[in-house]
Amino acid sequence: MHTEIPAELADVLAAPQLPQRAFPWIRNSWLNQMHDLPETLEMLHHLPERVDRDLVRQIVLAEITRGEVLAAFVAAMVWGYGDARYGAVRVRWVLTGIQEGAFYAPVRGDLAGLLATAADVVRVEGPVEGFRYMNNAGRIKFLASAFFTKWLYFASALTDADAPEAAPILDKRVSDWLCKRADFTLDISRTPDYQRYLDTLTAWGLGYGSTPVQVERAIFGLATGRN
């Protein structure tokens, strides 16, 4: 386990924690790509012009509770892709399992079940087992770990946005920062590396009363200039 916390990260964790600033998303692109999913369209119509982590967390959990897993997943991906114009198209690939002709292709019949099972696993067995499931038995075509950890995060942040039980997100921006600033190299596609990542975030957060998700958010902020 890597335990030497970079000084700049320690400084951020020692300061008061602020909620994520809301950011805009491209509504029309998502409405267009989700044209055949009425419950998802309803959710998208009700999303405000700017979203943040806690708002989307509440929406994801509410949609899961309603049994609308695809709407919950799309909400998580809206947050994950932010204002990237290609986001909705790539999520359409995930929904259909194909790239060419995805717009008119039907949504995979097994997708909601796979996502729901992943949510159950991460809640009951924890972040690493959630990652293992989505990386193996529950693997979904076109949904790599950088984005399936976003799904695992929102599905497991049950009490608040920084919940101690929540699965921290691991994407390239976070892993690149860890490599450059902490000499901590991760293969973000491997379950054992996600275990090392979680263990390290947990250790780094202990001295500051910070959860793994709070440490992940701090790293993301340092890597991107955004919180």
Side-chain angles (χ1 to χ4, degrees), residues 60-61 64 68-77 112 114-120 122 134 140 143 145-157 167 169:
V60 169
L61 295 179
I64 290 174
E68 298 297 339
V69 176
L70 294 183
F73 173 70
V74 170
M77 295 301 102
L114 290 169
L115 292 168
T117 299
D120 289 341
V122 72
M134 295 206 77
I140 296 170
L143 186 63
S145 59
F147 281 88
F148 77 57
T149 54
K150 293 174 175 64
W151 171 246
L152 292 174
Y153 162 72
F154 282 113
S156 61
I169 295 164

PDB file of all heavy atoms in Angstrom, residues 60-61 64 68-77 112 114-120 122 134 140 143 145-157 167 169:
ATOM      1  N   VAL A  60     -29.832   9.595  -9.187  1.00  0.00           N
ATOM      2  CA  VAL A  60     -29.487   8.197  -9.458  1.00  0.00           C
ATOM      3  C   VAL A  60     -30.138   7.278  -8.429  1.00  0.00           C
ATOM      4  O   VAL A  60     -30.766   6.266  -8.781  1.00  0.00           O
ATOM      5  CB  VAL A  60     -27.958   8.007  -9.470  1.00  0.00           C
ATOM      6  CG1 VAL A  60     -27.597   6.515  -9.478  1.00  0.00           C
ATOM      7  CG2 VAL A  60     -27.341   8.699 -10.678  1.00  0.00           C
ATOM      8  N   LEU A  61     -30.017   7.616  -7.163  1.00  0.00           N
ATOM      9  CA  LEU A  61     -30.589   6.761  -6.124  1.00  0.00           C
ATOM     10  C   LEU A  61     -32.112   6.696  -6.222  1.00  0.00           C
ATOM     11  O   LEU A  61     -32.713   5.626  -6.033  1.00  0.00           O
ATOM     12  CB  LEU A  61     -30.163   7.262  -4.743  1.00  0.00           C
ATOM     13  CG  LEU A  61     -28.662   7.188  -4.443  1.00  0.00           C
ATOM     14  CD1 LEU A  61     -28.374   7.733  -3.051  1.00  0.00           C
ATOM     15  CD2 LEU A  61     -28.135   5.768  -4.582  1.00  0.00           C
ATOM     16  N   ILE A  64     -32.978   4.402  -9.173  1.00  0.00           N
ATOM     17  CA  ILE A  64     -32.752   2.995  -8.818  1.00  0.00           C
ATOM     18  C   ILE A  64     -33.889   2.493  -7.941  1.00  0.00           C
ATOM     19  O   ILE A  64     -34.420   1.394  -8.146  1.00  0.00           O
ATOM     20  CB  ILE A  64     -31.396   2.821  -8.108  1.00  0.00           C
ATOM     21  CG1 ILE A  64     -30.241   3.048  -9.090  1.00  0.00           C
ATOM     22  CG2 ILE A  64     -31.282   1.422  -7.492  1.00  0.00           C
ATOM     23  CD1 ILE A  64     -28.864   3.025  -8.439  1.00  0.00           C
ATOM     24  N   GLU A  68     -35.962   2.197 -12.231  1.00  0.00           N
ATOM     25  CA  GLU A  68     -35.585   2.743 -13.538  1.00  0.00           C
ATOM     26  C   GLU A  68     -34.056   2.821 -13.621  1.00  0.00           C
ATOM     27  O   GLU A  68     -33.444   3.885 -13.567  1.00  0.00           O
ATOM     28  CB  GLU A  68     -36.226   4.116 -13.748  1.00  0.00           C
ATOM     29  CG  GLU A  68     -37.741   4.102 -13.757  1.00  0.00           C
ATOM     30  CD  GLU A  68     -38.313   3.279 -14.907  1.00  0.00           C
ATOM     31  OE1 GLU A  68     -37.586   3.061 -15.902  1.00  0.00           O
ATOM     32  OE2 GLU A  68     -39.484   2.850 -14.804  1.00  0.00           O
ATOM     33  N   VAL A  69     -33.449   1.652 -13.763  1.00  0.00           N
ATOM     34  CA  VAL A  69     -31.988   1.567 -13.702  1.00  0.00           C
ATOM     35  C   VAL A  69     -31.339   2.274 -14.886  1.00  0.00           C
ATOM     36  O   VAL A  69     -30.294   2.918 -14.734  1.00  0.00           O
ATOM     37  CB  VAL A  69     -31.545   0.090 -13.622  1.00  0.00           C
ATOM     38  CG1 VAL A  69     -30.026  -0.022 -13.651  1.00  0.00           C
ATOM     39  CG2 VAL A  69     -32.098  -0.555 -12.362  1.00  0.00           C
ATOM     40  N   LEU A  70     -31.925   2.174 -16.065  1.00  0.00           N
ATOM     41  CA  LEU A  70     -31.322   2.836 -17.227  1.00  0.00           C
ATOM     42  C   LEU A  70     -31.354   4.354 -17.073  1.00  0.00           C
ATOM     43  O   LEU A  70     -30.386   5.040 -17.428  1.00  0.00           O
ATOM     44  CB  LEU A  70     -32.023   2.410 -18.513  1.00  0.00           C
ATOM     45  CG  LEU A  70     -31.865   0.936 -18.897  1.00  0.00           C
ATOM     46  CD1 LEU A  70     -32.540   0.670 -20.237  1.00  0.00           C
ATOM     47  CD2 LEU A  70     -30.403   0.516 -18.946  1.00  0.00           C
ATOM     48  N   ALA A  71     -32.440   4.889 -16.550  1.00  0.00           N
ATOM     49  CA  ALA A  71     -32.497   6.332 -16.301  1.00  0.00           C
ATOM     50  C   ALA A  71     -31.438   6.732 -15.282  1.00  0.00           C
ATOM     51  O   ALA A  71     -30.781   7.775 -15.422  1.00  0.00           O
ATOM     52  CB  ALA A  71     -33.890   6.731 -15.817  1.00  0.00           C
ATOM     53  N   ALA A  72     -31.265   5.906 -14.251  1.00  0.00           N
ATOM     54  CA  ALA A  72     -30.232   6.178 -13.249  1.00  0.00           C
ATOM     55  C   ALA A  72     -28.846   6.167 -13.882  1.00  0.00           C
ATOM     56  O   ALA A  72     -28.013   7.045 -13.617  1.00  0.00           O
ATOM     57  CB  ALA A  72     -30.309   5.137 -12.133  1.00  0.00           C
ATOM     58  N   PHE A  73     -28.596   5.177 -14.728  1.00  0.00           N
ATOM     59  CA  PHE A  73     -27.293   5.070 -15.381  1.00  0.00           C
ATOM     60  C   PHE A  73     -27.028   6.273 -16.280  1.00  0.00           C
ATOM     61  O   PHE A  73     -25.929   6.849 -16.259  1.00  0.00           O
ATOM     62  CB  PHE A  73     -27.238   3.775 -16.195  1.00  0.00           C
ATOM     63  CG  PHE A  73     -26.006   3.635 -17.035  1.00  0.00           C
ATOM     64  CD1 PHE A  73     -24.768   3.426 -16.452  1.00  0.00           C
ATOM     65  CD2 PHE A  73     -26.080   3.714 -18.419  1.00  0.00           C
ATOM     66  CE1 PHE A  73     -23.621   3.300 -17.231  1.00  0.00           C
ATOM     67  CE2 PHE A  73     -24.947   3.589 -19.205  1.00  0.00           C
ATOM     68  CZ  PHE A  73     -23.709   3.381 -18.607  1.00  0.00           C
ATOM     69  N   VAL A  74     -28.010   6.673 -17.050  1.00  0.00           N
ATOM     70  CA  VAL A  74     -27.824   7.818 -17.948  1.00  0.00           C
ATOM     71  C   VAL A  74     -27.561   9.087 -17.139  1.00  0.00           C
ATOM     72  O   VAL A  74     -26.716   9.907 -17.510  1.00  0.00           O
ATOM     73  CB  VAL A  74     -29.029   7.975 -18.891  1.00  0.00           C
ATOM     74  CG1 VAL A  74     -28.957   9.297 -19.662  1.00  0.00           C
ATOM     75  CG2 VAL A  74     -29.083   6.799 -19.869  1.00  0.00           C
ATOM     76  N   ALA A  75     -28.247   9.261 -16.023  1.00  0.00           N
ATOM     77  CA  ALA A  75     -27.978  10.429 -15.175  1.00  0.00           C
ATOM     78  C   ALA A  75     -26.522  10.444 -14.721  1.00  0.00           C
ATOM     79  O   ALA A  75     -25.853  11.486 -14.752  1.00  0.00           O
ATOM     80  CB  ALA A  75     -28.912  10.427 -13.967  1.00  0.00           C
ATOM     81  N   ALA A  76     -26.019   9.286 -14.307  1.00  0.00           N
ATOM     82  CA  ALA A  76     -24.621   9.197 -13.885  1.00  0.00           C
ATOM     83  C   ALA A  76     -23.678   9.542 -15.032  1.00  0.00           C
ATOM     84  O   ALA A  76     -22.649  10.203 -14.835  1.00  0.00           O
ATOM     85  CB  ALA A  76     -24.323   7.793 -13.358  1.00  0.00           C
ATOM     86  N   MET A  77     -24.024   9.106 -16.237  1.00  0.00           N
ATOM     87  CA  MET A  77     -23.163   9.371 -17.387  1.00  0.00           C
ATOM     88  C   MET A  77     -23.240  10.831 -17.835  1.00  0.00           C
ATOM     89  O   MET A  77     -22.245  11.383 -18.330  1.00  0.00           O
ATOM     90  CB  MET A  77     -23.525   8.442 -18.543  1.00  0.00           C
ATOM     91  CG  MET A  77     -23.260   6.962 -18.261  1.00  0.00           C
ATOM     92  SD  MET A  77     -21.529   6.543 -17.870  1.00  0.00           S
ATOM     93  CE  MET A  77     -21.609   6.374 -16.065  1.00  0.00           C
ATOM     94  N   ALA A 112     -29.999  -3.490 -18.110  1.00  0.00           N
ATOM     95  CA  ALA A 112     -30.521  -3.022 -16.822  1.00  0.00           C
ATOM     96  C   ALA A 112     -30.204  -4.019 -15.716  1.00  0.00           C
ATOM     97  O   ALA A 112     -29.849  -3.634 -14.596  1.00  0.00           O
ATOM     98  CB  ALA A 112     -32.026  -2.778 -16.915  1.00  0.00           C
ATOM     99  N   LEU A 114     -27.642  -6.143 -15.575  1.00  0.00           N
ATOM    100  CA  LEU A 114     -26.212  -6.086 -15.257  1.00  0.00           C
ATOM    101  C   LEU A 114     -25.892  -4.880 -14.375  1.00  0.00           C
ATOM    102  O   LEU A 114     -25.133  -4.988 -13.399  1.00  0.00           O
ATOM    103  CB  LEU A 114     -25.395  -6.030 -16.546  1.00  0.00           C
ATOM    104  CG  LEU A 114     -25.367  -7.305 -17.393  1.00  0.00           C
ATOM    105  CD1 LEU A 114     -24.749  -7.018 -18.755  1.00  0.00           C
ATOM    106  CD2 LEU A 114     -24.594  -8.411 -16.680  1.00  0.00           C
ATOM    107  N   LEU A 115     -26.462  -3.738 -14.718  1.00  0.00           N
ATOM    108  CA  LEU A 115     -26.219  -2.530 -13.923  1.00  0.00           C
ATOM    109  C   LEU A 115     -26.821  -2.648 -12.525  1.00  0.00           C
ATOM    110  O   LEU A 115     -26.210  -2.223 -11.536  1.00  0.00           O
ATOM    111  CB  LEU A 115     -26.792  -1.316 -14.643  1.00  0.00           C
ATOM    112  CG  LEU A 115     -26.082  -0.910 -15.940  1.00  0.00           C
ATOM    113  CD1 LEU A 115     -26.916   0.110 -16.708  1.00  0.00           C
ATOM    114  CD2 LEU A 115     -24.691  -0.345 -15.650  1.00  0.00           C
ATOM    115  N   ALA A 116     -28.013  -3.233 -12.441  1.00  0.00           N
ATOM    116  CA  ALA A 116     -28.653  -3.408 -11.133  1.00  0.00           C
ATOM    117  C   ALA A 116     -27.850  -4.363 -10.261  1.00  0.00           C
ATOM    118  O   ALA A 116     -27.683  -4.132  -9.051  1.00  0.00           O
ATOM    119  CB  ALA A 116     -30.079  -3.916 -11.315  1.00  0.00           C
ATOM    120  N   THR A 117     -27.347  -5.430 -10.857  1.00  0.00           N
ATOM    121  CA  THR A 117     -26.528  -6.370 -10.089  1.00  0.00           C
ATOM    122  C   THR A 117     -25.255  -5.697  -9.599  1.00  0.00           C
ATOM    123  O   THR A 117     -24.835  -5.888  -8.448  1.00  0.00           O
ATOM    124  CB  THR A 117     -26.186  -7.605 -10.935  1.00  0.00           C
ATOM    125  OG1 THR A 117     -27.396  -8.266 -11.311  1.00  0.00           O
ATOM    126  CG2 THR A 117     -25.306  -8.575 -10.158  1.00  0.00           C
ATOM    127  N   ALA A 118     -24.630  -4.892 -10.453  1.00  0.00           N
ATOM    128  CA  ALA A 118     -23.429  -4.160 -10.037  1.00  0.00           C
ATOM    129  C   ALA A 118     -23.731  -3.257  -8.845  1.00  0.00           C
ATOM    130  O   ALA A 118     -22.931  -3.168  -7.899  1.00  0.00           O
ATOM    131  CB  ALA A 118     -22.892  -3.339 -11.202  1.00  0.00           C
ATOM    132  N   ALA A 119     -24.888  -2.593  -8.881  1.00  0.00           N
ATOM    133  CA  ALA A 119     -25.278  -1.736  -7.758  1.00  0.00           C
ATOM    134  C   ALA A 119     -25.457  -2.558  -6.486  1.00  0.00           C
ATOM    135  O   ALA A 119     -25.029  -2.147  -5.399  1.00  0.00           O
ATOM    136  CB  ALA A 119     -26.557  -0.981  -8.101  1.00  0.00           C
ATOM    137  N   ASP A 120     -26.071  -3.710  -6.614  1.00  0.00           N
ATOM    138  CA  ASP A 120     -26.253  -4.578  -5.445  1.00  0.00           C
ATOM    139  C   ASP A 120     -24.909  -5.050  -4.897  1.00  0.00           C
ATOM    140  O   ASP A 120     -24.693  -5.056  -3.678  1.00  0.00           O
ATOM    141  CB  ASP A 120     -27.104  -5.794  -5.819  1.00  0.00           C
ATOM    142  CG  ASP A 120     -28.565  -5.448  -6.072  1.00  0.00           C
ATOM    143  OD1 ASP A 120     -29.010  -4.373  -5.620  1.00  0.00           O
ATOM    144  OD2 ASP A 120     -29.253  -6.255  -6.727  1.00  0.00           O
ATOM    145  N   VAL A 122     -21.849  -3.701  -5.183  1.00  0.00           N
ATOM    146  CA  VAL A 122     -21.038  -2.661  -4.544  1.00  0.00           C
ATOM    147  C   VAL A 122     -21.631  -2.248  -3.203  1.00  0.00           C
ATOM    148  O   VAL A 122     -20.894  -1.925  -2.257  1.00  0.00           O
ATOM    149  CB  VAL A 122     -20.859  -1.447  -5.484  1.00  0.00           C
ATOM    150  CG1 VAL A 122     -22.135  -0.629  -5.630  1.00  0.00           C
ATOM    151  CG2 VAL A 122     -19.706  -0.566  -5.010  1.00  0.00           C
ATOM    152  N   MET A 134     -17.930  -5.773 -12.362  1.00  0.00           N
ATOM    153  CA  MET A 134     -18.073  -5.050 -13.629  1.00  0.00           C
ATOM    154  C   MET A 134     -16.892  -5.289 -14.565  1.00  0.00           C
ATOM    155  O   MET A 134     -17.000  -5.065 -15.773  1.00  0.00           O
ATOM    156  CB  MET A 134     -18.262  -3.556 -13.371  1.00  0.00           C
ATOM    157  CG  MET A 134     -19.548  -3.226 -12.643  1.00  0.00           C
ATOM    158  SD  MET A 134     -20.167  -1.550 -12.967  1.00  0.00           S
ATOM    159  CE  MET A 134     -20.883  -1.754 -14.602  1.00  0.00           C
ATOM    160  N   ILE A 140     -19.593  -4.918 -19.407  1.00  0.00           N
ATOM    161  CA  ILE A 140     -20.508  -4.330 -20.387  1.00  0.00           C
ATOM    162  C   ILE A 140     -19.677  -3.710 -21.506  1.00  0.00           C
ATOM    163  O   ILE A 140     -18.796  -2.886 -21.244  1.00  0.00           O
ATOM    164  CB  ILE A 140     -21.409  -3.263 -19.729  1.00  0.00           C
ATOM    165  CG1 ILE A 140     -22.308  -3.917 -18.662  1.00  0.00           C
ATOM    166  CG2 ILE A 140     -22.249  -2.538 -20.772  1.00  0.00           C
ATOM    167  CD1 ILE A 140     -23.048  -2.913 -17.791  1.00  0.00           C
ATOM    168  N   LEU A 143     -18.135   0.017 -21.921  1.00  0.00           N
ATOM    169  CA  LEU A 143     -18.162   0.689 -20.618  1.00  0.00           C
ATOM    170  C   LEU A 143     -16.891   0.307 -19.860  1.00  0.00           C
ATOM    171  O   LEU A 143     -16.841  -0.715 -19.180  1.00  0.00           O
ATOM    172  CB  LEU A 143     -19.405   0.298 -19.822  1.00  0.00           C
ATOM    173  CG  LEU A 143     -19.622   1.051 -18.499  1.00  0.00           C
ATOM    174  CD1 LEU A 143     -19.828   2.544 -18.743  1.00  0.00           C
ATOM    175  CD2 LEU A 143     -20.811   0.466 -17.738  1.00  0.00           C
ATOM    176  N   SER A 145     -13.537   0.996 -17.191  1.00  0.00           N
ATOM    177  CA  SER A 145     -13.518   1.241 -15.748  1.00  0.00           C
ATOM    178  C   SER A 145     -13.613   2.717 -15.385  1.00  0.00           C
ATOM    179  O   SER A 145     -14.157   3.065 -14.332  1.00  0.00           O
ATOM    180  CB  SER A 145     -12.261   0.632 -15.131  1.00  0.00           C
ATOM    181  OG  SER A 145     -11.092   1.185 -15.721  1.00  0.00           O
ATOM    182  N   ALA A 146     -13.086   3.600 -16.226  1.00  0.00           N
ATOM    183  CA  ALA A 146     -13.170   5.032 -15.923  1.00  0.00           C
ATOM    184  C   ALA A 146     -14.612   5.485 -15.775  1.00  0.00           C
ATOM    185  O   ALA A 146     -14.908   6.409 -15.004  1.00  0.00           O
ATOM    186  CB  ALA A 146     -12.476   5.842 -17.015  1.00  0.00           C
ATOM    187  N   PHE A 147     -15.518   4.815 -16.502  1.00  0.00           N
ATOM    188  CA  PHE A 147     -16.930   5.185 -16.414  1.00  0.00           C
ATOM    189  C   PHE A 147     -17.740   4.212 -15.582  1.00  0.00           C
ATOM    190  O   PHE A 147     -18.707   4.624 -14.934  1.00  0.00           O
ATOM    191  CB  PHE A 147     -17.517   5.377 -17.812  1.00  0.00           C
ATOM    192  CG  PHE A 147     -17.136   6.710 -18.386  1.00  0.00           C
ATOM    193  CD1 PHE A 147     -15.958   6.864 -19.096  1.00  0.00           C
ATOM    194  CD2 PHE A 147     -17.914   7.830 -18.158  1.00  0.00           C
ATOM    195  CE1 PHE A 147     -15.572   8.107 -19.580  1.00  0.00           C
ATOM    196  CE2 PHE A 147     -17.548   9.078 -18.637  1.00  0.00           C
ATOM    197  CZ  PHE A 147     -16.368   9.218 -19.349  1.00  0.00           C
ATOM    198  N   PHE A 148     -17.356   2.939 -15.525  1.00  0.00           N
ATOM    199  CA  PHE A 148     -18.154   2.084 -14.645  1.00  0.00           C
ATOM    200  C   PHE A 148     -17.873   2.379 -13.175  1.00  0.00           C
ATOM    201  O   PHE A 148     -18.730   2.129 -12.319  1.00  0.00           O
ATOM    202  CB  PHE A 148     -18.080   0.602 -15.011  1.00  0.00           C
ATOM    203  CG  PHE A 148     -16.860  -0.212 -14.651  1.00  0.00           C
ATOM    204  CD1 PHE A 148     -16.399  -0.327 -13.349  1.00  0.00           C
ATOM    205  CD2 PHE A 148     -16.210  -0.948 -15.644  1.00  0.00           C
ATOM    206  CE1 PHE A 148     -15.314  -1.131 -13.022  1.00  0.00           C
ATOM    207  CE2 PHE A 148     -15.120  -1.754 -15.338  1.00  0.00           C
ATOM    208  CZ  PHE A 148     -14.670  -1.839 -14.020  1.00  0.00           C
ATOM    209  N   THR A 149     -16.699   2.958 -12.853  1.00  0.00           N
ATOM    210  CA  THR A 149     -16.520   3.375 -11.456  1.00  0.00           C
ATOM    211  C   THR A 149     -17.394   4.580 -11.118  1.00  0.00           C
ATOM    212  O   THR A 149     -17.738   4.784  -9.944  1.00  0.00           O
ATOM    213  CB  THR A 149     -15.045   3.678 -11.121  1.00  0.00           C
ATOM    214  OG1 THR A 149     -14.515   4.638 -12.035  1.00  0.00           O
ATOM    215  CG2 THR A 149     -14.203   2.413 -11.142  1.00  0.00           C
ATOM    216  N   LYS A 150     -17.773   5.353 -12.112  1.00  0.00           N
ATOM    217  CA  LYS A 150     -18.734   6.436 -11.861  1.00  0.00           C
ATOM    218  C   LYS A 150     -20.099   5.851 -11.507  1.00  0.00           C
ATOM    219  O   LYS A 150     -20.780   6.340 -10.595  1.00  0.00           O
ATOM    220  CB  LYS A 150     -18.815   7.363 -13.075  1.00  0.00           C
ATOM    221  CG  LYS A 150     -17.528   8.151 -13.327  1.00  0.00           C
ATOM    222  CD  LYS A 150     -17.598   8.951 -14.607  1.00  0.00           C
ATOM    223  CE  LYS A 150     -16.370   9.836 -14.802  1.00  0.00           C
ATOM    224  NZ  LYS A 150     -15.109   9.108 -14.972  1.00  0.00           N
ATOM    225  N   TRP A 151     -20.507   4.811 -12.216  1.00  0.00           N
ATOM    226  CA  TRP A 151     -21.761   4.134 -11.874  1.00  0.00           C
ATOM    227  C   TRP A 151     -21.679   3.537 -10.468  1.00  0.00           C
ATOM    228  O   TRP A 151     -22.598   3.694  -9.652  1.00  0.00           O
ATOM    229  CB  TRP A 151     -22.082   3.050 -12.899  1.00  0.00           C
ATOM    230  CG  TRP A 151     -23.232   2.171 -12.511  1.00  0.00           C
ATOM    231  CD1 TRP A 151     -23.193   0.836 -12.219  1.00  0.00           C
ATOM    232  CD2 TRP A 151     -24.606   2.559 -12.356  1.00  0.00           C
ATOM    233  NE1 TRP A 151     -24.441   0.370 -11.893  1.00  0.00           N
ATOM    234  CE2 TRP A 151     -25.330   1.408 -11.970  1.00  0.00           C
ATOM    235  CE3 TRP A 151     -25.280   3.767 -12.505  1.00  0.00           C
ATOM    236  CZ2 TRP A 151     -26.706   1.432 -11.734  1.00  0.00           C
ATOM    237  CZ3 TRP A 151     -26.657   3.797 -12.267  1.00  0.00           C
ATOM    238  CH2 TRP A 151     -27.346   2.642 -11.892  1.00  0.00           C
ATOM    239  N   LEU A 152     -20.575   2.863 -10.170  1.00  0.00           N
ATOM    240  CA  LEU A 152     -20.418   2.269  -8.844  1.00  0.00           C
ATOM    241  C   LEU A 152     -20.447   3.338  -7.757  1.00  0.00           C
ATOM    242  O   LEU A 152     -21.027   3.130  -6.681  1.00  0.00           O
ATOM    243  CB  LEU A 152     -19.111   1.478  -8.773  1.00  0.00           C
ATOM    244  CG  LEU A 152     -19.029   0.214  -9.629  1.00  0.00           C
ATOM    245  CD1 LEU A 152     -17.622  -0.374  -9.573  1.00  0.00           C
ATOM    246  CD2 LEU A 152     -20.060  -0.823  -9.187  1.00  0.00           C
ATOM    247  N   TYR A 153     -19.822   4.480  -8.036  1.00  0.00           N
ATOM    248  CA  TYR A 153     -19.841   5.563  -7.046  1.00  0.00           C
ATOM    249  C   TYR A 153     -21.271   6.004  -6.751  1.00  0.00           C
ATOM    250  O   TYR A 153     -21.704   6.037  -5.590  1.00  0.00           O
ATOM    251  CB  TYR A 153     -19.013   6.763  -7.522  1.00  0.00           C
ATOM    252  CG  TYR A 153     -19.377   8.008  -6.748  1.00  0.00           C
ATOM    253  CD1 TYR A 153     -18.999   8.146  -5.414  1.00  0.00           C
ATOM    254  CD2 TYR A 153     -20.175   9.001  -7.313  1.00  0.00           C
ATOM    255  CE1 TYR A 153     -19.391   9.250  -4.672  1.00  0.00           C
ATOM    256  CE2 TYR A 153     -20.565  10.109  -6.583  1.00  0.00           C
ATOM    257  CZ  TYR A 153     -20.175  10.229  -5.262  1.00  0.00           C
ATOM    258  OH  TYR A 153     -20.580  11.310  -4.527  1.00  0.00           O
ATOM    259  N   PHE A 154     -22.007   6.375  -7.775  1.00  0.00           N
ATOM    260  CA  PHE A 154     -23.350   6.906  -7.542  1.00  0.00           C
ATOM    261  C   PHE A 154     -24.276   5.861  -6.928  1.00  0.00           C
ATOM    262  O   PHE A 154     -25.144   6.201  -6.116  1.00  0.00           O
ATOM    263  CB  PHE A 154     -23.935   7.448  -8.848  1.00  0.00           C
ATOM    264  CG  PHE A 154     -23.392   8.792  -9.230  1.00  0.00           C
ATOM    265  CD1 PHE A 154     -22.596   8.939 -10.357  1.00  0.00           C
ATOM    266  CD2 PHE A 154     -23.658   9.913  -8.468  1.00  0.00           C
ATOM    267  CE1 PHE A 154     -22.084  10.178 -10.711  1.00  0.00           C
ATOM    268  CE2 PHE A 154     -23.149  11.164  -8.809  1.00  0.00           C
ATOM    269  CZ  PHE A 154     -22.359  11.293  -9.935  1.00  0.00           C
ATOM    270  N   ALA A 155     -24.088   4.607  -7.294  1.00  0.00           N
ATOM    271  CA  ALA A 155     -24.939   3.553  -6.738  1.00  0.00           C
ATOM    272  C   ALA A 155     -24.634   3.270  -5.275  1.00  0.00           C
ATOM    273  O   ALA A 155     -25.487   2.728  -4.559  1.00  0.00           O
ATOM    274  CB  ALA A 155     -24.777   2.273  -7.558  1.00  0.00           C
ATOM    275  N   SER A 156     -23.430   3.633  -4.823  1.00  0.00           N
ATOM    276  CA  SER A 156     -23.021   3.274  -3.462  1.00  0.00           C
ATOM    277  C   SER A 156     -22.928   4.456  -2.504  1.00  0.00           C
ATOM    278  O   SER A 156     -22.734   4.252  -1.298  1.00  0.00           O
ATOM    279  CB  SER A 156     -21.665   2.555  -3.498  1.00  0.00           C
ATOM    280  OG  SER A 156     -20.652   3.381  -4.049  1.00  0.00           O
ATOM    281  N   ALA A 157     -23.053   5.678  -3.000  1.00  0.00           N
ATOM    282  CA  ALA A 157     -22.998   6.863  -2.124  1.00  0.00           C
ATOM    283  C   ALA A 157     -24.378   7.077  -1.513  1.00  0.00           C
ATOM    284  O   ALA A 157     -25.122   7.984  -1.894  1.00  0.00           O
ATOM    285  CB  ALA A 157     -22.543   8.085  -2.912  1.00  0.00           C
ATOM    286  N   ALA A 167     -17.856   3.966  -3.477  1.00  0.00           N
ATOM    287  CA  ALA A 167     -16.727   3.558  -4.320  1.00  0.00           C
ATOM    288  C   ALA A 167     -16.109   4.787  -4.975  1.00  0.00           C
ATOM    289  O   ALA A 167     -16.789   5.497  -5.720  1.00  0.00           O
ATOM    290  CB  ALA A 167     -17.206   2.583  -5.390  1.00  0.00           C
ATOM    291  N   ILE A 169     -14.160   7.032  -7.656  1.00  0.00           N
ATOM    292  CA  ILE A 169     -13.978   6.970  -9.108  1.00  0.00           C
ATOM    293  C   ILE A 169     -12.488   6.872  -9.421  1.00  0.00           C
ATOM    294  O   ILE A 169     -11.658   7.516  -8.777  1.00  0.00           O
ATOM    295  CB  ILE A 169     -14.597   8.216  -9.761  1.00  0.00           C
ATOM    296  CG1 ILE A 169     -16.120   8.221  -9.545  1.00  0.00           C
ATOM    297  CG2 ILE A 169     -14.257   8.295 -11.247  1.00  0.00           C
ATOM    298  CD1 ILE A 169     -16.774   9.567  -9.813  1.00  0.00           C
TER     299      ILE A 169
END
